[in-house]
Amino acid sequence: MSSSISLQQTVHCFLSNFQLSPKVPLPGWRIITGRPQRIRPLRASSSLAEAPPSSFPLFQQPPEPEDLTDSKLEPVDPDFYKIGYVRSVRAYGIEFKQGPDGIGVYASKDIEPTRRARVIMEIPLELMLTISQKTPWMFFPDIIPIGHPIFDIINSTNPETDWDLRLACLLLFAFDKEGNFWQMYGDFLPSAEECTSMLLATEEELLQLQDHNLASTMREQQQRALEFWERNWHSDVPLKIKRLAQEPERFMWAMSIAQSRCINMQMRIGALVQDGNMLIPYADMLNHSFQPNCFFHWRFKDRMLEVMTNAGQRIKKGEEMTINYMSKQKNDVFMQRYGLSSPVNPWDVIEFSGNARIHLDTYLSVMNISGLPDEYYHNKLARDGDSFVDGAVIAAARTLPVWCEGDVPPIPSKERKAVKELQEECQQMLMEFSTSSQQDHQILESIMVEEGGESRKRLETAIKYRLHRKLFIEKVIEALDVYQDRLLF
Amino acid sequence: MASLSPTLLYQDRGLRITAAGDVLVAKKSPFHPFQISFAGSFAAPIWKSRIGLRKKSKTTLSYPCIKCENSENKENEENKENAEKKEPSIKHVTVERFPYYSYLDSTSGQLEPASGARASIPGQDYWPEGTASRVRAANAPEPSGVPSGSSSFGKKPGSRRKKYNSPASSDSSEVSVVTSDELELVDDGSEESKDVSSDYVVYETEQVKENLTEYELNKKLGLPHPFIDPKVKKPIEEALTSDELWWNWRKPDKEQWSRWQRRRPDSETVFLKAMAETGQIKLYGETPTLTETSLYRARRHIFKEERLQAEQERLERIGPLAFYSEWVKAWKRDTSREAVQKHFEETGEDENTQLIEMLSHQTDREYRIMMGTDIRIKRDPLAMRMREDQIKEIWGGDPVYPTINYIQDPDEVIDFRGPDFHEPTPNMLSYLKEHGKIISRDELDQILANEKTEELEVADMDEALAQAIDIGENDDEAGDSEAEEEEEEEKISRNWSVLKTTPQPNKSKPKKDDMSLEEAVVDSENLTDFLLDFDESDQ
């Protein structure tokens, strides 16, 4: 699922269709993100869009966007659901579709808002791969035979940090185990070429991130995986271990799958309440969104994972079902673990060093943001036509240096000065990047036009990551502009 | 005039009622007194309406006026008028009870059957927990559609995803356009599941080949075919012996270590054996096999009527006397038809009288067997003809409280408790003997004899001791005697309270007199005891 979230699709959706674009993780905010000047190059790149680029995206939305998305999204091979269906997986009112960015889950009919959460998927425990988070290692279902050397490998990991290594071992073992469900399900996982996790990235792609911290973190991660593989898959290891991952790439792939698809949940089995790292088929095809419309629920009674839609939320046919992978995390954490990034992450952070501050309450009221700092949300009802506020603006409310002293009103001149300083600092940050966002767009475009290389996925992702960072900073600059415009005298 | 609504009656009692309803109101009755007619017969307790005499009319009129006070009085009047206009004759209303128990369901507002298939299923809100999800899961439509490609079984993960990076490869394979109503994962399996159809492209990478043998083809098409593929079919290697065909779980006789393990004859086996004895069937082995038993079970069910018919024919053929004499052992006379006829000519007793005479010699057990009074004995002609020991083998002789073989179920779970579960420890007697808990009669007699002599000895000696120890605390007569008795039982030298609560067997004191020093040392518990004893004897 991580792999399927990517800017390319997102941006593409912004232009061509914004009402029903299923790939866009943030239904509420996507409208504004598609600013004309950024969109244009991409639109041109996608050969599907015939309408000439115009600077008024709002006016061009009506011409049937559904067709475009539908042409992009194809149903997954029917076997994908069938193999689960015969093992009592159930999916209600949804369908799995695959676009160029991977598989996603889409509503196949309108879901009316109901009082109670609605089940859209049920996945039995028997199909999952699960390890307890702490020792003693317990596996549900217990597929590892007693005395199998893979257990010693799992046992040798650090209980605190190495959950991904354990899960990767388990996944590889499941692939090797006769009759395991994951042998069949694995065919629908993203292959090493498609996987966007930076674990598999080359040095060149890591440099493309334009983020030293993240790049070095990823290098460490790669090193860690490689060392683990060398330690446990050396030449005189028994065959039943050796054939799990003949070459390190296979293990790296399994680890990236484990990292990007792991679901940490508390499950209750009988009287046992257990924190587990779980790989859950079908549920891991749900994509991420900061405003999700689904969540997971462990049904204790028959040991099933239920995916439920939020109570009281209307979901239109064709909309994507999403869940929130992690909350309160910056883009680099998402990138590190899931290989995804978003320009509208409401928890993204910019480090400001200057003394300039703007007035918090004024900013919030200007942007129509309500709620406590931890749960800021855009109050849409107040202003219908406003499509400016998105996750980035909310993130700005959190990350901008602000002041607030009771009822003391802001002095406009001071505020403007502060805004100017902050904007300058942002510009400074943008300048530090070796490429501008426009250049990034062009690079992306050229990559997509090439369309040849199969390892382009990660390159795209890396470029999108830095692009999203720049988009975020630019958005903050714009937000400051708006703030200064709307300041009341 | 049908003044009573059937539902009212139904709710009241629901019995069959024939109501003839020319119920006239009192106002009219004085003028047409003779029109009051109750043609129907009311079951008094059922008829709920109160029948009362009106005081006023009673005073004014000499005729008793009857008024039916019903809850539907007004309707009655209206109906009555209408009915009088149209049809003055009597109308019979029949209310019949439904053939099932029912109740007035307050949710549906209708009479609902209380149980059974006709009962309506309550709404989803009333289902027990978890039912809704199970129904939903069961109703989820099975995914349809033709899969492309096949599983790599973990070798090539991601192999079945659609490839977007290489459009060239997709061009090469055959392209066919199908309508896609497949993969509709729609809740409720409702009607909208099928209406969405759009064209999309499916790449056929594999040709499905059908190489069916004739047998498989027949099976697929549903044509008549043997149950097992004749090519695959193999002859049965070797037939099991009859002993092996017996219950598989049976332990061989030699290894039996519990009486629970022995073969318990079940009724059918015994029946079959009996049938084989009388030559009705032939058994393969000594004991009927499982197959034979089940065959018998089926046949008994199927041919029971036939056999009863045969019995009846036999009864008619040989005459009742001969037929029933089978169950009258005491009847030694000739029972053939000729003999009966002859007897009739001699004494004038007809066949029935003779039969009664004969049956009066029947014992109650014979009678019970004959009549099949015991419900566990199927009224099976064969069962009536089984030997006593065979019947006992099944029912243990006593039909009411069978003592033998009271477990007859062949599928019973074997009791794996130890072989001596029901029995005392076999060497208990010797154990008790060893520990001195039990003695033989001779020893007992000897001890008793000894005790008698001892008692005499002890008595006079205790007399002296009692006087010596008596310190005059209890001077009264009763206390004195008690103290004496105590002294008789045991001689308490010290720590008497302990001895009192946990009495120990009497040390045989008298022996001590002629004990040597060594013996005395051995006999007493410890040295102090010995010394104390020594002191006492000195005194």
Side-chain angles (χ1 to χ4, degrees):
Chain A
M1 46 184 146
S2 62
S3 61
S4 60
I5 289 239
S6 43
L7 178 66
Q8 171 227 342
Q9 177 64 18
T10 324
V11 175
H12 180 72
C13 287
F14 293 161
L15 3 148
S16 53
N17 119 33
F18 90 49
Q19 284 190 340
L20 277 189
S21 71
K23 275 290 166 182
V24 179
L26 310 179
W29 297 331
R30 80 190 96 112
I31 302 171
I32 340 89
T33 343
R35 305 274 298 188
Q37 62 269 27
R38 282 200 211 69
I39 299 170
R40 217 173 295 145
L42 262 193
R43 157 179 290 275
S45 75
S46 66
S47 55
L48 291 169
E50 254 118 60
S54 88
S55 51
F56 303 107
L58 286 180
F59 296 147
Q60 35 168 253
Q61 288 143 17
E64 292 86 44
E66 292 90 349
D67 293 344
L68 278 178
T69 35
D70 281 356
S71 68
K72 273 291 197 187
L73 290 170
E74 287 181 29
V76 188
D77 192 312
D79 255 7
F80 175 68
Y81 179 49
K82 207 179 268 180
I83 55 174
Y85 179 85
V86 297
R87 293 166 176 82
S88 70
V89 167
R90 289 291 181 272
Y92 306 108
I94 55 170
E95 51 197 339
F96 300 94
K97 285 186 180 174
Q98 185 176 9
D101 282 337
I103 299 180
V105 183
Y106 299 87
S108 68
K109 61 178 196 179
D110 293 346
I111 296 177
E112 294 301 312
T114 47
R115 253 164 176 282
R116 308 185 58 187
R118 225 178 106 103
V119 179
I120 56 168
M121 266 197 258
E122 296 169 338
I123 300 119
L125 174 68
E126 287 72 29
L127 301 191
M128 307 176 188
L129 296 177
T130 305
I131 309 186
S132 55
Q133 285 182 2
K134 304 182 193 99
T135 49
W137 307 126
M138 281 187 271
F139 309 93
F140 299 102
D142 197 352
I143 57 170
I144 295 191
I146 288 174
H148 197 281
I150 193 76
F151 181 80
D152 300 329
I153 295 178
I154 287 175
N155 202 20
S156 71
T157 57
N158 182 353
E160 302 296 325
T161 54
D162 287 347
W163 58 270
D164 45 352
L165 297 177
R166 291 193 289 272
L167 213 52
C169 288
L170 189 64
L171 180 67
L172 288 172
F173 179 75
F175 279 142
D176 189 55
K177 191 169 169 70
E178 185 73 22
N180 193 291
F181 174 70
W182 283 77
Q183 284 195 335
M184 270 167 285
Y185 187 76
D187 293 338
F188 298 98
L189 293 175
S191 58
E193 297 87 46
E194 291 173 277
C195 207
T196 56
S197 172
M198 285 295 129
L199 263 184
L200 307 168
T202 58
E203 187 59 29
E204 174 212 2
E205 286 158 357
L206 285 181
L207 286 178
Q208 291 293 331
L209 285 174
Q210 297 181 351
D211 184 337
H212 299 298
N213 293 331
L214 181 58
S216 63
T217 315
M218 290 324 296
R219 267 179 224 120
E220 281 168 20
Q221 292 267 331
Q222 288 174 350
Q223 194 59 32
R224 171 166 154 259
L226 208 57
E227 277 171 9
F228 185 77
W229 182 83
E230 279 165 359
R231 195 164 61 241
N232 295 298
W233 271 269
H234 50 263
S235 55
D236 53 346
V237 90
L239 179 63
K240 56 181 166 182
I241 290 299
K242 189 181 273 179
R243 66 169 182 239
L244 296 188
Q246 297 277 10
E247 62 280 346
E249 285 75 24
R250 171 103 167 159
F251 183 78
M252 300 278 267
W253 172 79
M255 194 169 151
S256 69
I257 289 289
Q259 279 195 349
S260 58
R261 298 184 170 241
C262 171
I263 295 168
N264 295 326
M265 266 191 80
Q266 200 174 52
M267 56 184 166
R268 183 168 152 221
I269 295 168
L272 184 71
V273 176
Q274 179 93 42
D275 283 313
N277 296 314
M278 324 169 76
L279 285 175
I280 305 175
Y282 301 100
D284 61 7
M285 292 300 176
L286 289 159
N287 285 327
H288 168 80
S289 158
F290 295 103
Q291 288 185 334
N293 49 20
C294 294
F295 61 96
F296 292 142
H297 170 76
W298 178 256
R299 193 162 77 197
F300 152 72
K301 185 181 54 182
D302 46 3
R303 299 177 190 179
M304 282 206 181
L305 181 92
E306 290 177 327
V307 182
M308 309 179 101
T309 60
N310 287 341
Q313 182 165 358
R314 182 189 305 275
I315 298 171
K316 297 219 185 68
K317 178 177 175 180
E319 257 181 55
E320 175 156 21
M321 303 298 201
T322 49
I323 55 164
N324 196 352
Y325 289 177
M326 287 190 297
S327 57
K328 308 190 179 183
Q329 295 294 344
K330 286 166 62 184
N331 259 353
D332 56 349
V333 180
F334 275 102
M335 196 63 196
Q336 179 191 335
R337 178 154 167 200
Y338 295 106
L340 67 88
S341 58
S342 163
V344 290
N345 184 350
W347 291 95
D348 225 347
V349 171
I350 301 176
E351 306 289 343
F352 289 99
S353 55
N355 286 329
R357 291 171 185 280
I358 59 168
H359 188 235
L360 175 63
D361 290 346
T362 314
Y363 180 82
L364 294 182
S365 67
V366 158
M367 298 298 175
N368 256 314
I369 296 172
S370 324
L372 291 169
D374 268 357
E375 43 213 28
Y376 281 146
Y377 63 94
H378 175 43
N379 195 351
K380 277 178 213 146
L381 297 178
R383 240 180 240 241
D384 272 344
D386 187 9
S387 58
F388 177 74
V389 180
D390 64 358
V393 175
I394 289 177
R398 293 195 179 106
T399 194
L400 283 174
V402 290
W403 64 273
C404 187
E405 293 168 9
D407 287 343
V408 179
I411 302 166
S413 57
K414 270 194 173 180
E415 291 299 307
R416 290 196 173 173
K417 202 178 155 207
V419 162
K420 192 148 284 178
E421 276 184 35
L422 291 174
Q423 281 180 335
E424 274 173 11
E425 197 168 350
C426 288
Q427 292 290 357
Q428 198 63 36
M429 288 178 198
L430 283 179
M431 295 297 286
E432 283 168 12
F433 288 108
S434 55
T435 56
S436 69
S437 59
Q438 275 83 3
Q439 283 170 323
D440 285 342
H441 272 297
Q442 282 164 4
I443 295 171
L444 266 182
E445 179 188 345
S446 65
I447 288 175
M448 289 167 66
V449 166
E450 275 180 34
E451 190 97 12
E454 290 184 346
S455 59
R456 292 297 165 195
K457 262 277 160 57
R458 274 184 298 278
L459 189 58
E460 277 177 33
T461 315
I463 295 173
K464 272 182 216 157
Y465 172 74
R466 70 186 197 217
L467 172 62
H468 288 166
R469 181 71 184 168
K470 288 161 199 162
L471 287 180
F472 172 59
I473 296 176
E474 283 168 11
K475 184 78 183 180
V476 170
I477 294 173
E478 280 173 38
L480 286 171
D481 271 340
V482 171
Y483 171 70
Q484 134 181 338
D485 284 350
R486 293 186 190 165
L487 259 181
L488 292 177
F489 289 96
Chain B
M1 81 163 58
S3 58
L4 301 169
S5 75
T7 52
L8 175 74
L9 279 181
Y10 182 82
Q11 283 177 352
D12 280 346
R13 206 49 66 98
L15 287 182
R16 178 184 292 252
I17 285 176
T18 308
D22 271 7
V23 184
L24 297 187
V25 190
K27 286 175 191 168
K28 285 189 176 176
S29 55
F31 305 106
H32 311 280
F34 293 109
Q35 280 185 356
I36 304 172
S37 62
F38 287 104
S41 61
F42 295 92
I46 293 165
W47 189 242
K48 280 265 177 145
S49 55
R50 278 158 284 160
I51 300 175
L53 299 178
R54 270 200 167 184
K55 262 196 173 178
K56 191 175 159 191
S57 57
K58 198 184 178 186
T59 50
T60 52
L61 304 169
S62 57
Y63 309 108
C65 298
I66 298 172
K67 181 184 178 182
C68 286
E69 286 180 6
N70 223 351
S71 57
E72 295 163 335
N73 235 342
K74 279 189 176 176
E75 287 178 25
N76 279 356
E77 287 180 28
E78 290 171 12
N79 286 344
K80 189 209 67 181
E81 281 163 13
N82 291 339
E84 274 188 344
K85 282 175 197 166
K86 292 171 190 167
E87 185 180 329
S89 67
I90 297 166
K91 203 181 203 176
H92 295 275
V93 178
T94 304
V95 179
E96 223 170 321
R97 190 200 276 253
F98 289 120
Y100 41 79
Y101 289 99
S102 55
Y103 68 105
L104 188 69
D105 191 358
S106 59
T107 32
S108 66
Q110 284 174 340
L111 279 174
E112 298 274 2
S115 62
R118 293 201 213 189
S120 62
I121 296 172
Q124 196 161 343
D125 296 340
Y126 297 96
W127 292 358
E129 185 189 0
T131 308
S133 65
R134 292 182 65 171
V135 167
R136 192 183 53 209
N139 282 342
E142 191 172 359
S144 58
V146 187
S148 58
S150 55
S151 175
S152 71
F153 293 102
K155 294 291 174 294
K156 285 181 293 175
S159 59
R160 297 184 76 181
R161 287 194 155 209
K162 294 195 168 57
K163 296 281 180 269
Y164 284 88
N165 288 334
S166 51
S169 62
S170 65
D171 289 340
S172 62
S173 67
E174 192 183 350
V175 173
S176 66
V177 177
V178 294
T179 63
S180 75
D181 45 2
E182 48 204 40
L183 202 79
E184 276 287 333
L185 320 173
V186 182
D187 193 0
D188 311 330
S190 53
E191 59 285 349
E192 40 217 87
S193 61
K194 290 296 171 189
D195 58 5
V196 187
S197 61
S198 65
D199 291 351
Y200 78 103
V201 179
V202 161
Y203 304 109
E204 273 190 18
T205 53
E206 253 182 38
Q207 285 284 352
V208 183
K209 283 193 178 179
E210 288 201 352
N211 291 330
L212 292 178
T213 63
E214 189 188 350
Y215 170 78
E216 283 169 339
L217 197 65
N218 284 343
K219 197 171 183 182
K220 192 182 174 191
L221 298 178
L223 295 174
H225 61 279
F227 187 67
I228 302 171
D229 191 351
K231 281 172 191 167
V232 184
K233 188 177 177 183
K234 276 181 280 184
I236 297 169
E237 294 291 327
E238 49 186 35
L240 293 172
T241 65
S242 69
D243 220 29
E244 281 167 325
L245 285 173
W246 183 245
W247 315 120
N248 298 328
W249 46 264
R250 186 170 73 99
K251 294 273 191 302
D253 288 337
K254 288 134 212 156
E255 290 175 25
Q256 278 181 7
W257 42 261
S258 165
R259 60 186 289 267
W260 294 91
Q261 277 185 317
R262 83 205 146 121
R263 190 169 82 205
R264 284 177 230 109
D266 58 320
S267 60
E268 278 150 3
T269 314
V270 180
F271 266 85
L272 273 182
K273 273 181 162 177
M275 285 170 92
E277 270 179 29
T278 54
Q280 300 186 42
I281 57 164
K282 268 191 181 160
L283 289 184
Y284 176 73
E286 194 172 308
T287 45
T289 61
L290 274 181
T291 318
E292 284 167 340
T293 313
S294 53
L295 263 179
Y296 155 72
R297 205 179 297 134
R299 283 202 182 115
R300 184 183 60 184
H301 180 68
I302 294 169
F303 298 128
K304 183 174 181 187
E305 287 303 315
E306 270 179 37
R307 283 183 291 117
L308 285 176
Q309 183 71 27
E311 287 296 310
Q312 185 63 30
E313 279 167 10
R314 181 163 158 268
L315 170 65
E316 282 157 10
R317 200 177 63 242
I318 64 175
L321 227 57
F323 185 79
Y324 289 111
S325 67
E326 192 173 343
W327 296 287
V328 190
K329 285 279 158 8
W331 193 255
K332 300 297 183 193
R333 274 190 248 163
D334 191 5
T335 53
S336 62
R337 279 196 183 278
E338 297 78 38
V340 171
Q341 184 63 28
K342 203 176 137 203
H343 190 81
F344 172 64
E345 283 163 7
E346 284 170 3
T347 59
E349 292 172 346
D350 64 345
E351 201 176 38
N352 282 341
T353 325
Q354 288 181 48
L355 189 60
I356 291 167
E357 170 69 17
M358 182 185 79
L359 288 177
S360 64
H361 290 269
Q362 199 178 27
T363 64
D364 57 342
R365 176 160 293 184
E366 282 167 345
Y367 172 75
R368 204 159 47 217
I369 293 171
M370 182 185 82
M371 294 303 289
T373 319
D374 183 356
I375 50 159
R376 285 164 303 173
I377 303 178
K378 297 278 161 32
R379 187 110 176 90
D380 187 337
L382 177 68
M384 299 193 291
R385 207 158 290 127
M386 278 164 69
R387 278 188 281 111
E388 186 71 18
D389 61 322
Q390 284 170 331
I391 290 177
K392 267 192 179 171
E393 210 174 336
I394 303 176
W395 292 288
D398 186 351
V400 181
Y401 298 108
T403 49
I404 321 171
N405 294 329
Y406 58 89
I407 293 171
Q408 298 162 29
D409 185 7
D411 300 326
E412 256 261 327
V413 179
I414 313 170
D415 190 351
F416 284 110
R417 288 176 295 194
D420 48 356
F421 183 79
H422 295 281
E423 293 139 12
T425 316
N427 50 3
M428 183 63 80
L429 189 64
S430 54
Y431 173 84
L432 291 174
K433 268 185 184 171
E434 271 175 27
H435 290 258
K437 294 288 194 300
I438 211 168
I439 49 175
S440 65
R441 179 166 287 276
D442 296 339
E443 281 175 287
L444 180 67
D445 288 342
Q446 199 182 342
I447 288 169
L448 286 177
N450 282 349
E451 272 182 6
K452 253 184 190 168
T453 54
E454 267 173 34
E455 226 174 327
L456 292 176
E457 285 177 27
V458 166
D460 49 5
M461 194 187 147
D462 277 1
E463 198 75 46
L465 279 173
Q467 284 167 359
I469 287 178
D470 189 3
I471 51 178
E473 277 174 2
N474 21 13
D475 290 328
D476 53 311
E477 183 61 18
D480 231 348
S481 65
E482 268 182 26
E484 277 176 26
E485 280 168 17
E486 266 186 33
E487 288 310 316
E488 272 175 28
E489 280 171 21
E490 52 193 1
K491 200 180 145 207
I492 302 167
S493 51
R494 71 212 144 83
N495 204 4
W496 55 273
S497 64
V498 170
L499 278 176
K500 233 181 174 179
T501 48
T502 57
Q504 284 167 352
N506 230 339
K507 291 265 156 52
S508 48
K509 282 283 168 182
K511 269 194 221 163
K512 229 172 236 171
D513 294 339
D514 38 5
M515 268 199 287
S516 67
L517 183 61
E518 286 78 15
E519 281 172 336
V521 169
V522 171
D523 186 51
S524 55
E525 292 96 347
N526 52 39
L527 191 57
T528 21
D529 205 7
F530 165 69
L531 289 175
L532 279 168
D533 285 351
F534 208 68
D535 290 342
E536 264 178 75
S537 55
D538 273 356
Q539 284 170 7

